[in-house]
Amino acid sequence: MGLAAVGLTSAMAVPPAQASFCCEVRKTKDGFLALRSGPGTRFRLLAKVPSGEMVCFGSREDDAPDTGDWIEGWYTGTDGVRHNGWINGRFLLDECG
């Protein structure tokens, strides 16, 4: 499960205790969920989160208004580096809401 990352400007090691909740990425046809620099596909790809991995969030209430299904959060790669960005919440497992 490699991590393909491009132009990571906000990567850092992070303790997992900061998350209010984490959700598993559902299986996608591409095998990953794009972590982007903003809430939409027009924003730069920061990292590819493999299906089955976890994406964490402070809380959904903290999200900016008018971002649709996009949620700001982070993914900690297998290298232990935290990658901050936006993901499309439709691709998280249903129990994450």
Side-chain angles (χ1 to χ4, degrees):
M1 290 190 157
L3 172 71
V6 179
L8 291 172
T9 58
S10 58
M12 61 181 167
V14 64
Q18 294 178 354
S20 289
F21 63 96
C22 297
C23 298
E24 185 176 338
V25 173
R26 71 173 64 224
K27 187 173 181 169
T28 65
K29 69 177 185 164
D30 296 328
F32 68 88
L33 178 61
L35 183 76
R36 296 190 174 274
S37 62
T41 58
R42 69 185 182 280
F43 290 92
R44 184 170 41 100
L45 176 67
L46 299 176
K48 295 179 178 181
V49 183
S51 298
E53 292 293 322
M54 302 299 280
V55 178
C56 299
F57 314 94
S59 77
R60 288 211 176 195
E61 289 74 33
D62 294 340
D63 289 342
D66 302 321
T67 57
D69 292 324
W70 291 83
I71 305 167
E72 189 172 16
W74 64 87
Y75 161 68
T76 303
T78 56
D79 56 1
V81 175
R82 173 175 155 165
H83 307 282
N84 298 311
W86 291 80
I87 57 93
N88 190 318
R90 293 181 303 170
F91 295 97
L92 299 176
L93 291 181
D94 292 334
E95 59 267 14
C96 290

